[in-house]
Amino acid sequence: MPIINPVSSPTVPPAPEAGAMVDVVRFERVGLRYGRGPEILTDVNMRLARGSFTFLTGSSGAGKSTLLKLCYLTLKQSRGLINLFESDISVMSRAEQQATKQRIGVVLQDFRLIDHLSVFENVALPLRVTGEKREAYRQDVMELLQWVGLGHVMEAMPQTLSGGEQQRAAIARAVISKPDLLIADEPTGNVDPVIGRRLLRLFSEMNRMGTTVLIATHDINLISEFSVDVMRIENGQLFSGLENGRVHG
Amino acid sequence: MDEFENTASQPLLNTAADNARSLIIVLAIMSFLAALAILLSLSADRLGKNWQGELQRTATIQLLVSSPELAEAETQTALKSLRAALPEADISPLGTVKSRELLTPWLGNIELPEDLPLPVLISVTLDSGDTLSAPRIMTVLREEGLLAEIDDHSRWSDQIGKSARGLKAAALTILALIFGAGIAISAFATQAALSTQRDVIRVLVQVGAEDSFIAKLFIRQAGLRGLKGSFIGAVLGLLAAVILSLRNPKDTALLPDLNMNWTDSFYLVLLIIGITLICSAAAGFTTYRLLRRERRRS
Ligand SMILES: Nc1ncnc2c1ncn2[C@@H]1O[C@H](COP(=O)(O)OP(=O)(O)OP(=O)(O)O)[C@@H](O)[C@H]1O
Ligand SMILES: [Mg+2]
């Protein structure tokens, strides 16, 4: 059950640019277990201020993907409070949830491209479900595909693309609607370093234009190149900083 | 970039994934049977009404003459008063030859004595519209002091009416069963479609599609399949009925003659609309239900 009286918890660990900023994501003492299994996440407190750029790390199986799922509304927390865009998700109606999802771009480890739709159609999907007219978004989609280096395979089917190309298509789909929150799970896992840099440049470009970014990754090298916030999951708990057990309150 | 002219959106549901053809065939067969039931019941109804109408417009009056000598005079009196009372009707004596003929089935081909006092038979046939009222005819004759019995064929007419109603009830039952099966089949097919399109739905939900957006996809798909199947079935049913009705009427002595009427096709259009709506509605309900169940699970 969500905790009542969620406002102004005294101990909210990583609070990037803490101040009067609006929180895009706020977790308060969130716990999660799958079914009757052990708690994967325990008492997680987290705040993502609007316009922040955060990396989430942790060893394999630590619960990075799980935490992201809570952020993009695919999983319900077992306890604690989660606010997205300042609204408690546990009291949202179905329509409100879907409207919230339209503000969140998601890139997953397995891409989730639709096999029978062309790359163009896959990328255009978030705009299509909001009822936007094709003429209105056609040019935008084509330009973005050029930008991520998929201009030549717009009409191809996803299975005919390489893993890296599929990943770029998935990223293009996540950013096409200029989401307020961008969540990516290992977005550079399948691409060479050059493309990886390029994708991250896309993310930071979006971040500069106001999108809040949360990226889960193993890639420490990648993290060290960017001077952004880092959070780490260890034993079901969330810490700030990269390593050495340094816990920032 | 401009040689890429994708102006039409690709369908979101994978049309190749689920077995649409067998669903359409099943719907076509059901609609074929429904169309035949409709056409048969319509023509049985019409036929029954025709027979009934004919029977109700005719009656045979049996004049019980007081003595053979007075037969001729009493017959004339009866004819005159009947003609006065029913100016529109065709009223004529059947004559002795005809009367004898009518007795043959009961008495066999025996030689009847010439002086056997045969009853005088008078047939009454109304032109159209009105049905005969037996009591009224009896009153008219009684006022002239004549005794008569009247057969207004009401027994036959009632029986024909009863069997026509029976046929209609049977046809309606068949229709109801077919529509019920249509609902079940469409719900079943939508469930199958939902599970084959699971990945698509998952992505649509992820990018923020409303339930109604997803439901509309399945409603449109099921409706289109219902339309195709019922159209094919109704056309084949109509063809079959036309072929039946073109047969020599002698062959169909026991079956109701299929006398088709072009207005019957209106009911077939209703059938097509009905099946299409049923398929769409069942798909819509099923989709909403499964989406809701899915949500509760997560
Ligand atoms: N659907 C599920 N049902 C049950 N347990 C699950 C489920 N998904 C994940 N888990 C468990 O939760 C734990 C955390 O998984 P998660 O996928 O969040 O890890 P991760 O940090 O993303 O790992 P990786 O870096 O390998 O992607 C794992 O122990 C995993 O077995
Ligand atoms: Mg993971």
Side-chain angles (χ1 to χ4, degrees):
Chain A
M1 284 305 292
I3 290 167
I4 327 278
N5 186 17
V7 200
S8 72
S9 166
T11 54
V12 182
E17 294 167 344
M21 301 276 321
V22 178
D23 288 334
V24 171
V25 181
R26 188 160 85 227
F27 279 38
E28 282 180 19
R29 308 190 57 186
V30 171
L32 181 112
R33 60 174 80 232
Y34 287 103
R36 294 162 157 255
E39 269 207 334
I40 306 293
L41 299 174
T42 307
D43 283 334
V44 168
N45 293 308
M46 174 174 80
R47 285 178 62 182
L48 298 182
R50 191 200 292 165
S52 61
F53 194 124
T54 310
F55 276 118
L56 177 66
T57 71
S59 55
S60 181
K64 301 183 293 296
S65 300
T66 303
L67 186 126
L68 296 191
K69 276 183 203 160
L70 292 170
C71 294
Y72 59 76
L73 291 170
T74 292
L75 208 55
K76 276 195 195 114
Q77 74 269 35
S78 310
R79 55 188 182 84
L81 173 94
I82 296 179
N83 274 9
L84 288 179
F85 306 107
E86 304 283 315
S87 311
D88 182 351
I89 62 163
S90 62
V91 296
M92 279 185 190
S93 70
R94 169 71 165 172
E96 286 165 343
Q97 277 188 18
Q98 292 309 97
T100 304
K101 282 181 188 171
Q102 290 177 7
R103 301 175 66 182
I104 305 175
V106 181
V107 187
L108 298 182
Q109 277 172 310
D110 59 352
F111 317 140
R112 306 241 173 114
L113 298 170
I114 297 177
D115 288 342
H116 67 273
L117 295 182
S118 68
V119 170
F120 177 94
E121 295 287 346
N122 267 287
V123 171
L125 208 56
L127 302 174
R128 193 164 164 189
V129 303
T130 60
E132 230 181 281
K133 285 270 173 297
R134 191 178 183 79
E135 307 84 66
Y137 62 69
R138 191 168 153 261
Q139 201 63 33
D140 288 348
V141 173
M142 292 198 296
E143 273 167 23
L144 178 63
L145 282 170
Q146 294 288 346
W147 207 89
V148 298
L150 294 177
H152 60 297
V153 287
M154 276 191 239
E155 277 180 292
M157 291 297 163
Q159 309 98 297
T160 66
L161 303 188
S162 74
E165 285 170 332
Q166 289 184 23
Q167 188 157 33
R168 279 179 272 159
I171 289 170
R173 184 180 65 195
V175 302
I176 186 64
S177 56
K178 302 188 178 67
D180 294 320
L181 172 62
L182 180 68
I183 294 173
D185 202 342
E186 303 285 357
T188 55
N190 291 276
V191 294
D192 61 59
V194 178
I195 299 278
R197 301 276 169 299
R198 192 167 179 170
L199 291 176
L200 281 173
R201 247 179 58 217
L202 173 62
F203 290 155
S204 56
E205 191 75 24
M206 298 215 25
N207 179 242
R208 261 197 292 138
M209 291 177 358
T211 299
T212 306
V213 179
L214 176 61
I215 299 174
T217 182
H218 288 119
D219 195 343
I220 308 286
N221 293 332
L222 194 76
I223 296 175
S224 57
E225 285 176 32
F226 285 76
S227 57
V228 294
D229 300 304
V230 179
M231 295 190 299
R232 168 172 50 89
I233 304 181
E234 225 175 80
N235 301 322
Q237 304 217 279
L238 188 67
F239 302 98
S240 78
L242 242 186
E243 244 169 314
N244 306 329
R246 284 204 320 267
V247 181
H248 292 242
Chain B
M1 196 192 290
D2 270 328
E3 86 273 17
F4 181 60
E5 286 296 336
N6 56 345
T7 41
S9 300
Q10 291 172 343
L12 289 179
L13 296 183
N14 188 358
T15 41
D18 55 341
N19 212 338
R21 190 177 298 164
S22 39
L23 175 67
I24 291 173
I25 289 173
V26 169
L27 287 171
I29 292 170
M30 288 183 357
S31 307
F32 173 79
L33 297 175
L36 275 187
I38 289 174
L39 294 174
L40 278 171
S41 86
L42 283 173
S43 83
D45 197 41
R46 203 154 38 229
L47 203 71
K49 285 227 178 73
N50 281 352
W51 282 356
Q52 240 178 334
E54 229 161 85
L55 286 175
Q56 280 164 352
R57 284 201 312 275
T58 64
T60 312
I61 296 163
Q62 189 184 337
L63 205 58
L64 307 171
V65 292
S66 16
S67 69
E69 299 82 60
L70 286 176
E72 187 56 33
E74 286 185 353
T75 307
Q76 288 311 319
T77 316
L79 286 175
K80 221 172 86 193
S81 53
L82 283 171
R83 280 178 183 140
L86 304 162
E88 306 274 283
D90 174 18
I91 292 162
S92 52
L94 283 181
T96 28
V97 180
K98 187 83 177 166
S99 300
R100 276 168 189 271
E101 268 174 29
L102 285 174
L103 286 175
T104 327
W106 281 276
L107 303 179
N109 257 334
I110 55 165
E111 277 298 314
L112 292 170
E114 278 301 319
D115 57 349
L116 183 78
L118 283 174
V120 174
L121 297 177
I122 299 171
S123 90
V124 181
T125 308
L126 285 187
D127 252 357
S128 62
D130 296 329
T131 51
L132 273 172
S133 150
R136 180 151 167 250
I137 290 172
M138 294 297 277
T139 315
V140 167
L141 294 175
R142 208 177 303 122
E143 273 166 6
E144 295 293 331
L146 299 168
L147 267 182
E149 272 172 9
I150 184 160
D151 175 8
D152 64 355
H153 311 133
S154 59
R155 203 156 52 88
W156 295 111
S157 158
D158 286 352
Q159 247 164 29
I160 287 171
K162 219 181 281 173
S163 33
R165 278 193 299 277
L167 264 175
K168 214 157 55 177
L172 284 178
T173 310
I174 290 171
L175 275 182
L177 287 176
I178 286 174
F179 272 61
I183 292 173
I185 284 172
S186 181
F188 181 73
T190 303
Q191 254 162 32
L194 280 163
S195 74
T196 52
Q197 313 272 356
R198 199 177 205 88
D199 294 347
V200 179
I201 294 171
R202 197 168 58 167
V203 174
L204 288 174
V205 168
Q206 184 56 64
V207 299
E210 300 266 5
D211 286 359
S212 59
F213 181 92
I214 297 170
K216 256 182 230 150
L217 297 174
F218 286 93
I219 289 171
R220 201 177 307 135
Q221 185 186 62
L224 217 63
R225 289 170 182 180
L227 183 66
K228 272 186 205 162
S230 60
F231 181 79
I232 294 169
V235 167
L236 291 180
L238 188 64
L239 271 179
V242 166
I243 290 169
L244 278 178
S245 72
L246 288 181
R247 289 188 312 172
N248 192 334
K250 259 185 281 173
D251 300 341
T252 61
L254 285 175
L255 284 173
D257 249 328
L258 270 170
N259 53 346
M260 304 276 302
N261 194 325
W262 69 269
T263 49
D264 292 359
S265 43
F266 168 73
Y267 290 93
L268 295 188
V269 172
L270 283 188
L271 170 71
I272 293 171
I273 293 172
I275 296 275
T276 305
L277 287 181
I278 275 181
C279 287
S280 313
F285 280 125
T286 310
T287 309
Y288 275 116
R289 214 188 56 214
L290 287 195
L291 285 175
R292 209 171 306 134
R293 191 189 298 166
E294 205 75 349
R295 207 178 317 145
R296 222 173 289 135
R297 208 175 286 157
S298 73

